[in-house]
């Protein structure tokens, strides 16, 4: 019986995450109440608060799940794109995945639009940096290993490139005039390939 209740608890938790993610991406964090989430999940507030200490902690887990999924896909794309003749290809393939995510409505609404207000800009930056900096840093280190960038500039360049990607993500989420994923990728690729 204990095993069954563990399975049920896991299903309830997954259902809460899925339904809350859908509501946060379609209605926004501030327009989604705990009652809305419970109704969508056919569960109780007690069950929600058994799994998550607050609506904000539920949001943070959803935010993190999106970031981790994007990060894993970017890493896979980078590995698949490695080239003996083009040292930039792996890094740029990972960046293209981020730009793809930055056009997804769920990623935009949860990570880029509501994320900074729910987590606070400092909290958002710290969480984003902790999750994404290793891949960007690995990409820049690879470029340094290939003699493209100076070893002394690796850490600073990684911070700047991650910040540039985030800035573009915010611009795409705001649907700024003239900012399209294709134009952004083309400009970002030109910038990366000009690194020496």
């Amino acid at each position: 019986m204990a095993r069954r209740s563990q399975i049920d608890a896991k299903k309830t938790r997954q259902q809460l995450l899925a339904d809350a993610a859908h509501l946060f991406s379609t209605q926004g964090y501030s327009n989604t109440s705990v009652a809305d989430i419970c109704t969508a999940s056919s569960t109780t507030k007690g069950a929600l608060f058994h799994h998550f200490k607050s609506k904000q902690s539920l949001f943070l887990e959803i935010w993190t799940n999106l970031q981790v999924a994007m990060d894993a896909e970017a890493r896979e794309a980078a590995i698949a794109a490695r080239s003996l003749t083009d040292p930039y290809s792996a890094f740029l393939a990972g960046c293209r995945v981020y730009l793809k995510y930055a056009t997804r409505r769920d990623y935009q609404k949860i990570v880029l639009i509501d994320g900074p207000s729910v987590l606070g800009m400092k909290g958002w930056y710290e969480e984003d940096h902790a999750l994404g900096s290793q891949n960007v840093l690995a990409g820049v280190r690879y470029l340094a290993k290939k003699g493209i960038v100076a070893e002394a500039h690796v850490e600073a360049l990684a911070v700047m490139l991650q910040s540039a990607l985030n800035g573009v993500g915010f611009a795409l989420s705001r649907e700024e005039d003239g900012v399209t994923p294709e134009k952004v990728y083309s400009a970002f690729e030109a910038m990366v390939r000009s690194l020496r």
Side-chain angles (χ1 to χ4, degrees):
M1 188 66 160
R3 178 83 177 126
R4 180 72 187 148
S5 62
Q6 287 176 341
I7 293 169
D8 290 343
K10 186 175 181 178
K11 283 183 181 177
T12 298
R13 189 174 200 287
Q14 292 305 313
Q15 192 64 51
L16 285 164
L17 285 166
D19 291 331
H22 173 74
L23 290 168
F24 291 153
S25 67
T26 56
Q27 297 179 183
Y29 178 83
S30 62
N31 292 328
T32 301
S33 68
V34 168
D36 293 336
I37 297 166
C38 292
T39 299
S41 297
S42 300
T43 192
T44 64
K45 288 182 182 181
L48 186 145
F49 290 120
H50 169 75
H51 293 285
F52 305 96
K53 71 177 187 179
S54 66
K55 177 180 151 187
Q56 185 174 355
S57 68
L58 172 60
F59 178 87
L60 177 58
E61 186 159 336
I62 292 165
W63 185 95
T64 302
N65 289 346
L66 278 167
Q67 291 282 65
V68 167
M70 183 274 299
D71 188 65
E73 191 176 324
R75 209 172 318 115
E76 288 173 15
I79 290 167
R82 283 188 183 153
S83 165
L84 295 175
T85 58
D86 183 5
Y88 298 99
S89 62
F91 182 74
L92 289 168
C95 294
R96 187 179 283 281
V97 169
Y98 170 76
L99 293 174
K100 179 185 84 171
Y101 267 74
T103 63
R104 283 179 34 176
R105 191 67 197 141
D106 61 339
Y107 191 87
Q108 287 179 341
K109 188 66 177 154
I110 293 168
V111 174
L112 299 171
I113 296 171
D114 283 348
S117 62
V118 176
L119 306 175
M121 198 59 202
K122 183 177 186 286
W124 184 94
Y125 176 81
E126 288 170 356
E127 292 288 337
D128 180 72
H129 183 74
L131 289 168
S133 64
Q134 292 310 308
N135 280 350
V136 175
L137 186 58
V140 178
R141 279 195 176 129
Y142 180 77
L143 294 177
K145 182 179 170 184
K146 293 295 184 181
I148 293 169
V149 298
E151 190 66 44
H153 296 154
V154 167
E155 288 79 10
L157 278 172
V159 169
M160 288 188 275
L161 290 170
Q162 186 177 4
S163 296
L165 287 167
N166 283 336
V168 166
F170 286 122
L172 288 169
S173 72
R174 290 189 304 268
E175 299 177 351
E176 291 185 9
D177 288 342
V179 179
T180 66
E182 297 78 23
K183 287 181 180 179
V184 165
Y185 181 78
S186 178
F188 188 81
E189 180 179 11
M191 180 179 74
V192 169
R193 287 185 183 279
S194 72
L195 295 175
R196 291 277 180 239

